[in-house]
Amino acid sequence: MNIVVSTLNAKYIHTCLALRYLKAYSEPDFHVEMAEYTIKDPAINIVSDLYMKRPDVLGFSCYIWNIEETIKVIEMVKKISPETAIVLGGPEVSYDVPHWLDRIPDADFIIVNEGEISFKHFLAEHSGEKRYEKVAGLAWRKNGKPTINPPREKLDLKTVATPYRFEEDLDQLSKRVTYFETSRGCPYSCAFCLSSIEVGVRYFDIQKVKDDLIFLMDNGAKTIKFVDRTFNIKRDYALEMFQFLIDNRRPGVVFQFEITADIMRPEVIAFLNEHAPAGLFRFEIGVQSTNDHVNELVQRRQNFEKLTRTVMTVKEGGKIAQHLDLIAGLPDEDYQSFRKTFNDVFAFGVEEVQLGFLKMLRGTGLRLTADRHDYVYMNHSPYEILGNNVLSFDDIIKIKRVEDVLEKYWNDHRMDATLNYLIYHVFHSPFDFFQEFGDYWESKGWSRIGHQLEDLFARLKEFLTQRGTHNEVIEALMKYDYFSRKKHRPHRSWWEETLAKSDLEHYHRWLKHHPERLSDAFKSYSLSEKDLMKHTVLDLLPFDLNHYLTTGEVKKDQVLSLVYYHPKTHEPEHYSISLNQIQLEERSALS
């Protein structure tokens, strides 16, 4: 029997852990081939590839991001290979199962919830006596009518074979994200989340976990993302794992975790700040809302004071990047309340703020009680809300504009110095900056076209200019950010030159003869005038940039800024000197 399990990932870099569990649990009794694609791949290409594998059983792992594309593939496969048994599984089809049996008539079976045992049991029956009613956790059609077998007991995770050591994965480990589980389940009951449906947390054998992590690192894995819903729910367990990862890290590897910040013990943070190498760990923290009433309505317990302590202490440690999540559209969170939530979280100054919109997922408590808050939402995935009794569709459109420029400008870190100045010196609040810029962005039609790095700077300048708030300080910060993003000396682009050609030639000559005035490191390069013209950018600033970057204070001064693009490292190096100092030395030399 030829068995293929497949999924459509969001991007090539992602991998599907579910397929690997099914393969690991089914073998050696049944050989299972894995086939991964992306939602961007043409459906006919996916179907052609699957068809050439000649599967007798074809399984699809279904998620909110791929179900619509998967249905198109299933329909074509069934037309060209009607004898192939198509089996669905995954969180998207594990709830409202009769709906899916009705909507996808070409799907023959659905594995509900945890699939390892049920899938293997199904394969045994399908290849034998076909007593499908014996397979716990299986949904199917008996005499054309939907039949859902009783659920299966939870799997003992300590008995599960490793899904991380397949030969076909090894050469791709360094190029893709490796998803890793040390536990299943969530201790919380947030009404918007599928993880809340499973009561209790189960753990894999910790020694097997450690052995698998060592194997992955030794075979080139660079990004390992733990999918545990709350990695730090058990203090001692989290500490042991953090210590293990620190002690056994390999060069270039990064570990990502989902943590609950308000239960993170201070001694755990202190341990990480002292012992974790910078860049080894990344934390994803679901804040969602800072409105206590809103959190209560979705059965979410969150102590914002303790959350703040954790986030700020981690930030002050300077070792761990943080990604904070927000959800727009929760019950009783109107536009102004969400604005406050956004500003509360943005005030932390973390590396990333992810703004998402509430999705009414099948099986969640919030979807079942949607009428209480007059929710209107999409009928098909991703089931995103279109409005409720306190948040109109007009409000949602406005917040989506915030999300658009937040991703392009803040989370991509294209101009950190500029944005920090604008947010805290020009606009009333971070949210107001992103909202006003997002509104202008949409009014210009920029959301429908592509953008190069130069375009992003030019469009921000245009927005600020028409607003009447663009000035020479902002221009200088924008140039600093722009020059810092380039690997080679940029050609003149969106900015106005501050130095005439004769001035440039004059300062090039002076720097050739006095490089030590910038620094000993700059002097060691022994640059000629030709080198200076080819590999540096000179700019005249109206303030001391280094002083501002260090203190946040704008100190007025005429400063000559030089950015050197090293021809070997291709890394920009920033130097500056007061124009008064140059002029004093020139007068002294003449006298």
Side-chain angles (χ1 to χ4, degrees):
M1 186 166 63
N2 196 7
I3 305 158
V4 177
V5 290
S6 181
T7 198
L8 281 64
N9 295 316
K11 297 179 180 179
Y12 166 77
I13 195 172
H14 301 303
T15 52
C16 181
L17 186 52
L19 302 188
R20 289 155 176 82
Y21 275 122
L22 295 176
K23 178 178 174 67
Y25 203 88
S26 298
E27 293 183 344
D29 299 325
F30 300 96
H31 174 68
V32 176
E33 180 181 357
M34 298 183 294
E36 290 183 281
Y37 309 96
T38 78
I39 56 176
K40 297 295 186 181
D41 293 334
I44 187 62
N45 292 4
I46 298 172
V47 171
S48 299
D49 191 61
L50 291 172
Y51 177 76
M52 295 305 295
K53 299 178 186 298
R54 302 292 193 270
D56 299 298
V57 174
L58 177 56
F60 288 96
S61 193
C62 303
Y63 303 88
I64 191 173
W65 64 80
N66 72 7
I67 184 63
E68 300 302 328
E69 291 80 4
T70 300
I71 290 173
K72 296 174 186 176
V73 171
I74 291 169
E75 289 172 348
M76 280 192 274
V77 168
K78 206 63 172 179
K79 286 182 177 180
I80 58 176
S81 183
E83 69 282 1
T84 298
I86 294 180
V87 187
L88 308 185
E92 180 60 12
V93 295
S94 287
Y95 304 93
D96 292 349
V97 177
H99 161 82
W100 292 114
L101 287 171
D102 179 63
R103 187 180 171 202
I104 316 176
D106 293 321
D108 300 297
F109 305 93
I110 295 177
I111 301 290
V112 180
N113 294 321
E114 210 164 46
E116 290 92 340
I117 301 177
S118 295
F119 185 66
K120 185 175 183 179
H121 190 179
F122 163 78
L123 294 177
E125 290 296 341
H126 188 71
S127 61
E129 299 182 28
K130 295 181 170 53
R131 299 170 301 173
Y132 301 121
E133 67 278 0
K134 299 290 187 182
V135 182
L138 182 71
W140 52 298
R141 298 179 190 84
K142 187 174 183 179
N143 300 322
K145 295 183 179 181
T147 300
I148 303 175
N149 295 346
R152 184 175 295 280
E153 291 184 0
K154 291 179 182 178
L155 178 63
D156 179 359
L157 299 183
K158 291 181 171 55
T159 67
V160 178
T162 178
Y164 305 110
R165 304 193 183 207
F166 294 118
E167 186 70 27
E168 56 265 45
D169 283 335
L170 298 184
D171 65 341
Q172 297 296 313
L173 283 177
S174 63
K175 304 178 183 69
R176 306 179 75 182
V177 177
T178 299
Y179 292 93
F180 198 97
E181 270 188 320
T182 73
S183 66
R184 289 184 187 175
C186 181
Y188 300 105
S189 54
C190 304
F192 53 80
C193 182
L194 280 177
S195 298
S196 65
I197 296 173
E198 179 180 345
V199 179
V201 179
R202 294 168 290 152
Y203 285 85
F204 288 82
D205 180 82
I206 192 167
Q207 190 55 53
K208 288 183 180 179
V209 164
K210 292 177 178 180
D211 291 345
D212 282 335
L213 287 166
I214 292 291
F215 176 86
L216 289 169
M217 287 188 285
D218 284 346
N219 282 275
K222 295 301 182 185
T223 302
I224 298 177
K225 184 170 183 178
F226 290 83
V227 295
D228 305 58
R229 306 312 300 167
T230 304
F231 189 82
N232 62 312
I233 189 64
K234 290 171 65 174
R235 170 194 171 278
D236 292 344
Y237 181 85
L239 265 177
E240 181 178 348
M241 287 302 300
F242 287 142
Q243 180 74 71
F244 170 79
L245 296 172
I246 291 170
D247 291 343
N248 294 277
R249 67 188 185 276
R250 303 293 191 268
V253 69
V254 176
F255 300 100
Q256 301 179 13
F257 309 89
E258 292 186 30
I259 70 160
T260 300
D262 60 340
I263 66 167
M264 181 73 95
R265 299 285 290 272
E267 63 269 24
V268 176
I269 306 172
F271 168 81
L272 292 172
N273 282 345
E274 181 178 354
H275 298 288
L280 181 64
F281 297 145
R282 289 177 56 89
F283 285 170
E284 182 175 339
I285 300 170
V287 181
Q288 320 311 3
S289 174
T290 63
N291 185 319
D292 289 338
H293 170 65
V294 170
N295 284 324
E296 288 173 7
L297 287 175
V298 294
Q299 302 171 51
R300 180 176 177 81
R301 302 187 304 275
Q302 180 169 271
N303 185 317
F304 188 65
E305 182 180 347
K306 290 182 178 179
L307 182 149
T308 299
R309 179 198 67 198
T310 293
V311 172
M312 295 309 296
T313 308
V314 170
K315 181 188 175 186
E316 290 161 7
K319 301 287 191 69
I320 300 171
Q322 298 180 93
H323 169 123
L324 272 56
D325 292 324
L326 303 177
I327 297 178
L330 293 173
D332 278 8
E333 179 106 277
D334 62 14
Y335 179 83
Q336 289 302 326
S337 175
F338 184 76
R339 175 180 178 273
K340 180 180 183 302
T341 283
F342 184 96
N343 286 330
D344 288 342
V345 170
F346 205 89
F348 294 141
V350 298
E351 288 77 7
E352 291 183 34
V353 176
Q354 184 76 43
L355 197 171
F357 292 81
L358 179 65
K359 297 171 177 57
M360 306 296 279
L361 303 178
R362 295 180 182 277
T364 59
L366 201 52
R367 180 170 175 133
L368 296 173
T369 59
D371 290 345
R372 294 181 188 175
H373 303 281
D374 298 332
Y375 273 108
V376 181
Y377 55 91
M378 301 173 182
N379 289 334
H380 299 294
S381 66
Y383 314 112
E384 195 168 284
I385 70 158
L386 305 173
N388 62 24
N389 60 344
V390 299
L391 196 72
S392 68
F393 190 57
D394 286 325
D395 294 331
I396 291 172
I397 290 172
K398 289 173 65 177
I399 297 172
K400 281 188 174 291
R401 294 172 185 167
V402 172
E403 177 198 25
D404 189 19
V405 293
L406 177 73
E407 285 299 315
K408 288 182 173 67
Y409 284 84
W410 181 262
N411 289 341
D412 278 351
H413 296 284
R414 289 183 164 112
M415 48 184 84
D416 289 352
T418 304
L419 291 193
N420 275 300
Y421 181 83
L422 291 173
I423 286 166
Y424 296 111
H425 295 276
V426 178
F427 287 82
H428 185 67
S429 77
F431 185 88
D432 295 327
F433 163 70
F434 290 110
Q435 184 67 84
E436 192 174 335
F437 188 22
D439 291 343
Y440 185 79
W441 188 280
E442 181 62 28
S443 74
K444 301 295 288 187
W446 293 335
S447 60
R448 293 177 287 279
I449 58 177
H451 317 281
Q452 300 294 327
L453 180 65
E454 290 76 9
D455 298 327
L456 294 172
F457 280 84
R459 284 164 188 164
L460 177 61
K461 181 177 179 179
E462 179 182 326
F463 162 63
L464 295 170
T465 300
Q466 65 81 34
R467 190 178 184 270
T469 50
H470 192 64
N471 58 43
E472 56 187 5
V473 172
I474 296 171
E475 177 99 354
L477 290 172
M478 289 179 68
K479 284 189 279 188
Y480 167 77
D481 282 325
Y482 181 75
F483 296 153
S484 297
R485 295 277 299 186
K486 306 296 285 186
K487 299 297 183 184
H488 304 278
R489 183 185 186 277
H491 298 292
R492 184 173 179 272
S493 180
W494 50 267
W495 65 87
E496 298 294 330
E497 294 288 0
T498 58
L499 293 168
K501 183 178 179 181
S502 59
D503 292 328
L504 284 172
E505 293 172 349
H506 171 75
Y507 289 126
H508 282 150
R509 285 194 299 272
W510 190 87
L511 289 166
K512 175 182 179 297
H513 294 294
H514 305 283
E516 74 282 355
R517 299 296 190 268
L518 294 185
S519 76
D520 290 339
F522 185 73
K523 179 183 178 181
S524 69
Y525 295 137
S526 301
L527 300 179
S528 66
E529 283 188 53
K530 183 178 180 181
D531 293 329
L532 288 166
M533 292 177 62
K534 185 177 181 180
H535 298 298
T536 69
V537 176
L538 285 180
D539 193 26
L540 195 60
L541 306 183
F543 66 104
D544 188 332
L545 178 62
N546 289 336
H547 182 78
Y548 171 77
L549 295 174
T550 303
T551 67
E553 175 191 10
V554 175
K555 182 181 177 182
K556 293 291 184 178
D557 188 11
Q558 289 288 97
V559 173
L560 184 68
S561 168
L562 180 145
V563 185
Y564 173 52
Y565 293 92
H566 198 292
K568 291 184 178 179
T569 66
H570 302 297
E571 291 297 325
E573 299 176 13
H574 293 266
Y575 303 93
S576 64
I577 183 172
S578 172
L579 208 59
N580 287 332
Q581 183 179 344
I582 297 177
Q583 292 168 350
L584 284 171
E585 294 195 14
E586 287 180 328
R587 285 197 293 269
S588 176
L590 290 173
S591 62

